Amino acid sequence: MEAALAASEAHTGAIDFELWVTEKADALLRFAYILTGDVTLAEDAVQDALTTACARWNRVSQADDPEAYVKRMVVNAHISWWRRFRKREAPAAEPTRTAPPSPDGSTARADADAIWALCATLPDRQRAAVVLRFYEELSYAEIAVLLHCAEATARSHVHRALAVLKNTLSKEGAEDA
C-alpha cells in the first residue's frame, strides 16, 4: 500500500485522498477510539475530520505529515464535541476489580477493560493528555500543540490524571485488604 501511495504521489504530485484514507482509516479509528472511549464518538470524530480533510486535501496532502495533520483534526472534532455536549454526559460507574490471571488471556482483556474504565472517569482533557502521552507516545510539547495549551498545562493534565488514577487504585487496594 505504501508503494501505491508513493506511485500516486509521484504521478499526481499529491497523495490521492481515497487511497490515503484506505490505508489510514483503521489507524485513525483506533486512535479516535482510544481518545474518546466510545466507538460511535470515534467514528463521528474520524468522519468529521475526513470530511474536512477531503475539502482541504490539497493543503493537507502537502503537509510534512498528513496523518498527524488529520489526527489533529480528529482531536479538534472531539474537543468540539466536548464543548457542545459536555453537560449531557453522565459520570461513569466505579470500576470493578478483576479476577486473578487465567491461562486463556481473559485476564489481560479484563485488566485492559479495567484500565480503560479508570481512564474514562478522568475529565476529558486529562484523559486526552494521558492517551496522547502513553498510547500515542507523544512529547509534552506535541500534546500541548494538539490540545491548544501550554506545554506546562499538558504536563499538568498528565500529572493530575496520574495522581487521580493512583489515588483511585490506592483506595480500591485498601478496600480489598
Side-chain angles (χ1 to χ4, degrees):
M1 189 59 79
E2 290 291 334
L5 275 175
S8 171
E9 185 174 0
H11 180 262
T12 64
I15 302 169
D16 179 55
F17 179 73
E18 290 181 24
L19 186 60
W20 186 87
V21 170
T22 301
E23 181 177 320
K24 302 295 182 178
D26 289 339
L28 288 171
L29 281 170
R30 283 190 303 273
F31 170 73
Y33 175 73
I34 295 298
L35 182 67
T36 64
D38 182 88
V39 173
T40 304
L41 290 177
E43 290 170 348
D44 288 348
V46 170
Q47 181 178 356
D48 288 351
L50 290 177
T51 301
T52 304
C54 182
R56 301 176 184 162
W57 188 243
N58 286 335
R59 182 173 32 158
V60 173
S61 66
Q62 298 303 317
D64 291 336
D65 186 357
E67 183 175 4
Y69 195 105
V70 175
K71 281 184 177 181
R72 175 65 190 142
M73 295 169 97
V74 169
V75 171
N76 284 343
H78 185 57
I79 289 171
S80 294
W81 184 87
W82 291 346
R83 290 179 179 148
R84 282 191 306 255
F85 300 106
R86 168 166 254 154
K87 293 179 182 171
R88 294 183 188 178
E89 289 185 20
E94 287 295 317
T96 57
R97 299 297 284 178
T98 59
S102 64
D104 66 355
S106 63
T107 301
R109 180 66 189 159
D111 287 346
D113 289 344
I115 289 168
W116 179 247
L118 280 172
C119 288
T121 65
L122 294 171
D124 292 332
R125 284 195 172 268
Q126 288 180 10
R127 182 176 62 240
V130 167
V131 166
L132 293 170
R133 180 71 176 142
F134 298 105
Y135 179 75
E136 285 293 314
E137 298 178 354
L138 298 181
S139 70
Y140 290 110
E142 293 168 319
I143 294 168
V145 169
L146 288 173
L147 295 181
H148 294 296
C149 64
E151 184 175 342
T153 304
R155 286 181 188 276
S156 177
H157 286 320
V158 172
H159 176 75
R160 288 180 181 166
L162 293 177
V164 167
L165 294 174
K166 181 179 178 182
N167 187 30
T168 302
L169 289 172
S170 295
K171 284 181 182 177
E172 287 181 5
E175 289 173 3
D176 290 343

